Amino acid sequence: MFCVPQRILLFPVAALLAAALALPAQAQVGGGGKPPRETREKARVERQKQRERAAMERRAREKLENKRRQEIAKRERKLENKRTTPALRRAEYARRAAEHQNYRPTPRAVQYARYLHQNQGKAHPNYSSQAYSNTPRPGYQRLPERGQYREYQMIQGSRWHDKGAERIVRDSRSGRTWYTRDHYRSFVEIR
């Protein structure tokens, strides 16, 4: 007959007994603890996917908006390059005004306007500002007459020759703020 030492038999039995006794105690104490690692990992991956989807949708919206702005700017450059009669220019200005009545400030412009309001018109260190004279060209929109205006660029950097067409114009006396996406042709007040 085959003989097995007693201590070899006792170790597995003792380990199994200890595990069996510890299992119910663990279930009672830690029932609502951390979810398993795989579940946490799945949740983290899902949150990352949601953030990526939201970022993709935001980039797509911005791309469409930029494309539309570029088309408008291209049309306006064409008009300025053509030699047109005053009647045609007035008709084109009326068309532009009707087109601009429906646009809204970008979320970035609203956020920057809030920043300016909180800081009493002091420009952000990454953005430039300068005085605005409120003397528009023919066909451009004019802001209310009495005001001390300052314009703020919407593109980071200090070089004025590459700052884009978007601006925020703020009246430092009343605190009212306007947004223009087409370099002062039209304004929308930011409330």
Side-chain angles (χ1 to χ4, degrees):
M1 195 120 192
F2 182 69
C3 183
V4 179
Q6 245 183 356
R7 71 174 181 202
I8 293 177
L9 285 176
L10 288 178
F11 177 73
V13 171
L16 287 173
L17 186 60
L21 291 174
L23 188 62
Q26 232 178 16
Q28 290 173 357
V29 173
K34 282 186 175 178
R37 185 182 192 113
E38 299 84 28
T39 307
R40 289 192 315 259
E41 184 65 22
K42 283 180 186 177
R44 187 189 65 76
V45 168
E46 186 59 34
R47 285 192 305 272
Q48 180 66 26
K49 284 181 183 178
Q50 286 176 348
R51 284 192 294 268
E52 289 171 0
R53 278 194 298 266
M56 248 174 41
E57 289 171 1
R58 187 182 70 246
R59 283 192 298 266
R61 281 194 306 270
E62 288 174 358
K63 190 175 179 181
L64 283 174
E65 183 66 23
N66 286 338
K67 186 176 180 181
R68 196 170 65 75
R69 286 184 191 150
Q70 287 172 354
E71 288 172 359
I72 290 170
K74 185 178 177 182
R75 203 174 329 135
E76 289 173 353
R77 280 193 305 271
K78 246 187 209 180
L79 178 72
E80 288 175 3
N81 292 337
K82 282 183 186 177
R83 293 180 182 257
T84 58
T85 65
L88 287 175
R89 276 195 299 253
R90 280 194 301 274
E92 181 62 20
Y93 291 143
R95 185 193 61 75
R96 284 184 198 162
E99 184 177 275
H100 291 301
Q101 283 176 353
N102 297 324
Y103 81 87
R104 293 182 180 172
T106 61
R108 188 169 51 112
V110 173
Q111 181 181 6
Y112 191 43
R114 285 186 189 140
Y115 173 87
L116 292 172
H117 181 71
Q118 290 169 354
N119 294 295
Q120 287 81 33
K122 184 178 177 191
H124 188 276
N126 294 341
Y127 297 91
S128 300
S129 71
Q130 68 182 18
Y132 176 67
S133 62
N134 195 26
T135 53
R137 291 190 246 172
Y140 283 34
Q141 187 176 346
R142 186 180 189 89
L143 293 174
E145 197 63 43
R146 295 174 190 245
Q148 187 176 354
Y149 298 105
R150 189 149 193 87
E151 67 169 293
Y152 301 88
Q153 72 178 30
M154 296 292 296
I155 295 178
Q156 287 189 6
S158 59
R159 296 190 309 260
W160 282 95
H161 65 275
D162 62 352
K163 60 184 178 174
E166 284 184 293
R167 300 283 186 287
I168 290 182
V169 178
R170 184 174 189 272
D171 181 4
S172 53
R173 291 181 185 160
S174 68
R176 292 173 67 189
T177 309
W178 292 268
Y179 168 73
T180 176
R181 68 176 181 190
D182 50 14
H183 204 264
Y184 316 118
R185 288 186 193 282
S186 60
F187 291 94
V188 174
E189 188 168 1
I190 299 175
R191 301 190 185 271

